[in-house]
Amino acid sequence: PPLPLPQRSAPGGAADTGEAAMGRMYGKGKGMASSALPYRRKPPAWVKMKPDDVVDHICKLAKKGLTPSQIGVTLRDSFGIPQVGTVTGSKILRILKTNGLAPTLPEDLYYLIKKAVSMRKHLDKNRKDKDSKFRLILVESRIHRLARYYKRVKSLPATWKYVSATASALVAELRRQRERHAPPRADRSELLARKAQ
């Protein structure tokens, strides 16, 4: 029988076991950290809120101008709902879609466009900032990849296109839409007076 071949060592010196740490496409990290959801798909026994009440709260928060992720954080911190999906059977975005309250632009895409707009504004003032220019290229490539995915799953119209010249106007329009739903913000002096009471 042929003799077993010796194990090749990896560049770092460790034996090549075939398992490598996954690198990030747009960052230096190789971490494995991520949230671990419970195996049980049923809501915990200590969650007392009914599914209809949860849906009502989601709709109210969406009308105030909160994004789906902000709604999830509010429900978790203020109402003790760990996972909306386990309580209602539907995720937050699906509930918003059925009630006609879903955002016109997906949330992750909106925030990437917002970041690209602020980076371009920075580069207009600081033209020699080469690192920011490189980072802007990475952010915009992420925007194009994400837009391609959302077109494929029909979340965006097939004719939608990211144009850097009109991006700031798009972000401003979406912010106006959100603020139109939101109640007027309390003045700082009023907030301080409430805290003092």
Side-chain angles (χ1 to χ4, degrees):
L3 292 168
L5 291 169
Q7 277 193 329
R8 285 185 304 169
S9 59
D16 185 12
T17 56
E19 287 183 25
M22 191 69 182
R24 299 284 173 270
M25 189 174 278
Y26 297 105
K28 293 179 182 176
K30 292 183 181 175
M32 293 171 70
S34 63
S35 62
L37 294 179
Y39 181 73
R40 285 185 76 222
R41 296 298 167 99
K42 291 178 181 177
W46 44 265
V47 175
K48 301 298 179 190
M49 197 178 281
K50 291 176 183 176
D52 293 340
D53 296 338
V54 175
V55 171
D56 288 343
H57 277 300
I58 289 168
C59 294
K60 278 176 192 171
L61 292 168
K63 283 171 185 172
K64 283 183 182 177
L66 271 68
T67 61
S69 61
Q70 288 170 337
I71 291 168
V73 169
T74 307
L75 289 172
R76 184 196 66 195
D77 297 345
S78 302
F79 299 97
I81 294 159
Q83 285 288 316
V84 169
T86 57
V87 178
T88 61
S90 300
K91 292 187 176 182
I92 293 171
L93 193 60
R94 189 163 287 177
I95 290 165
L96 293 177
K97 278 179 183 173
T98 53
N99 289 281
L101 295 166
T104 50
L105 196 68
E107 188 183 351
D108 48 358
L109 186 61
Y110 166 75
Y111 280 112
L112 277 175
I113 292 169
K114 196 177 174 184
K115 183 187 264 192
V117 166
S118 67
M119 287 171 94
R120 277 193 180 277
K121 205 178 282 183
H122 168 80
L123 280 168
D124 286 343
K125 293 176 188 173
N126 307 280
R127 290 189 179 278
K128 289 192 175 181
D129 192 348
K130 302 292 182 192
D131 186 59
S132 283
K133 191 175 182 181
F134 172 67
R135 299 294 159 196
L136 176 64
I137 291 165
L138 293 185
V139 169
E140 289 194 333
S141 71
R142 249 184 284 182
I143 289 167
H144 292 304
R145 286 180 87 216
L146 205 54
R148 212 163 48 236
Y149 162 73
Y150 280 127
K151 281 181 194 175
R152 195 170 71 241
V153 297
K154 307 281 191 298
S155 291
L156 282 175
T159 53
W160 191 92
K161 198 175 181 182
Y162 169 76
V163 182
S164 57
T166 58
S168 58
L170 176 69
V171 168
E173 176 60 32
L174 288 165
R175 195 187 295 131
R176 265 199 301 275
Q177 282 177 12
R178 201 175 289 169
E179 284 169 0
R180 206 178 296 148
H181 295 300
R185 286 183 179 178
D187 190 34
R188 186 173 168 77
S189 56
E190 281 179 38
L191 290 169
L192 289 169
R194 278 184 208 165
K195 278 184 183 178
Q197 291 170 1

